[in-house]
Amino acid sequence: MNLLLTCEHARNLIPKEFSKLFKGKQKLLSSHRGWDAGALEIARGLKRKLKAPLLEGNYSRLVIDLNRSENHRKAFSEFTAHLPEDTKEKIISKIHRPFRQKAEAIVSKQNTLHISIHSFVPILDDKKRNCEIGILYDPKRLLEVEIAKQLKFYLKASALHPRIRLNYPYRGSSDGHTTKLRKMYSPKKYIGIELEFNQGWLKELKKNKHLINLIAISIQRAGNTLKFNF
Ligand SMILES: [Zn+2]
């Protein structure tokens, strides 16, 4: 079993040719609308510890969202949705498709556990989200259910003692990168998990050198229970 890491919302950069569209929007770009703060650090740490390939999104999701299908009505944001069709096609072929195709090339070669790394804001619409890590999976795919359960167990038992919720703050089966790959590959060949980290918790833990280690070990142990070695 191969391990693949992805970080779709790693950055809030805008390609030079579209910078005009985002003039004066720096604050919005720095917010969660622009990117998943803290996710790339976790993803890179896991890449190092687990020696797994990592695909990183290079631009803000407000240009095109790599975690939406290219024809999803929300793939483009209010800043890019109105662009001429040929410009949008260019964005898809230069940014979206190459990212997705790299993942497909890896999965097609070998059975793969894909872990897609994200972060979420601690408070949404005045409501505090009461967990530190969300594990998203498709309840219909038994290997995903099992690996999510094991991951929850090992993460919870780690020295971080995070509160963990399954399929929270989003449903694992909504449109996304993992959902697309599930449609392409059988449940044995492809296991797609999204890990969602609370940004407030990540900030607190920033000085904790062991954070990445503990997450990496939890992934390894959860994999081992299913006889995956990576
Ligand atoms: Zn995300």
Side-chain angles (χ1 to χ4, degrees):
M1 185 58 71
N2 212 7
L3 182 64
L4 165 67
L5 302 166
T6 60
C7 192
E8 286 75 8
H9 304 137
R11 293 182 173 83
N12 57 359
L13 301 175
I14 301 296
K16 227 179 182 176
E17 56 194 300
F18 300 117
S19 57
K20 261 195 202 148
L21 298 173
F22 293 89
K23 217 176 160 203
K25 301 291 173 197
Q26 207 46 49
K27 207 174 157 194
L28 186 80
L29 279 167
S30 307
S31 78
H32 191 55
R33 292 267 350 259
W35 68 318
D36 282 2
L40 184 60
E41 281 169 274
I42 300 250
R44 286 200 168 163
L46 292 177
K47 172 192 172 161
R48 234 181 6 252
K49 298 273 177 206
L50 298 168
K51 303 197 176 14
L54 165 65
L55 304 177
E56 304 173 1
N58 290 324
Y59 299 107
S60 170
R61 69 171 130 221
L62 293 174
V63 179
I64 188 163
D65 190 339
L66 297 175
N67 210 30
R68 294 271 171 266
S69 298
E70 61 177 61
N71 54 3
H72 189 276
R73 63 185 172 83
K74 285 188 176 166
F76 289 94
S77 72
E78 69 267 35
F79 299 97
T80 50
H82 64 276
L83 290 170
E85 282 310 312
D86 59 332
T87 308
K88 281 158 73 175
E89 183 54 38
K90 216 174 99 191
I91 292 174
I92 290 173
S93 65
K94 281 196 161 172
I95 300 174
H96 193 283
R97 262 178 225 151
F99 183 85
R100 293 296 188 97
Q101 282 164 356
K102 277 181 210 153
E104 287 159 23
I106 291 171
V107 182
S108 65
K109 262 190 237 146
Q110 227 178 331
N111 293 354
T112 303
L113 169 60
H114 171 203
I115 298 188
S116 166
I117 314 278
H118 298 266
S119 68
F120 62 92
V121 285
I123 296 166
L124 188 71
D125 301 330
D126 291 332
K127 261 196 217 141
K128 204 171 168 192
R129 286 154 144 185
N130 57 352
C131 87
E132 280 81 46
I133 304 177
I135 303 174
L136 279 50
Y137 60 97
D138 184 342
K140 289 198 208 95
R141 292 171 78 111
L142 296 182
L143 281 172
E144 291 189 14
V145 175
E146 196 49 40
I147 199 97
K149 262 205 300 202
Q150 298 293 343
L151 255 178
K152 182 179 175 180
F153 174 81
Y154 285 110
L155 283 166
K156 241 178 136 172
S158 74
L160 302 165
H161 302 300
R163 288 170 299 175
I164 296 174
R165 291 182 66 177
L166 298 176
N167 278 331
Y168 178 89
Y170 314 102
R171 268 184 304 131
S173 50
S174 322
D175 177 57
H177 194 185
T178 52
T179 313
K180 177 70 196 294
L181 289 166
R182 282 184 199 118
K183 282 185 192 146
M184 300 174 71
Y185 302 103
S186 75
K188 266 194 187 154
K189 183 151 182 59
Y190 174 77
I191 300 172
I193 298 285
E194 284 171 89
L195 283 183
E196 287 273 357
F197 292 92
N198 186 318
Q199 291 171 5
W201 187 64
L202 288 184
K203 244 188 214 163
E204 279 173 41
L205 284 177
K206 220 164 185 182
K207 290 184 200 108
N208 186 339
K209 282 183 290 193
H210 305 300
L211 168 70
I212 303 281
N213 230 348
L214 292 168
I215 297 167
I217 289 169
S218 302
I219 292 173
Q220 265 169 339
R221 288 190 175 151
N224 287 345
T225 60
L226 297 182
K227 306 243 176 345
F228 303 159
N229 294 309
F230 36 71

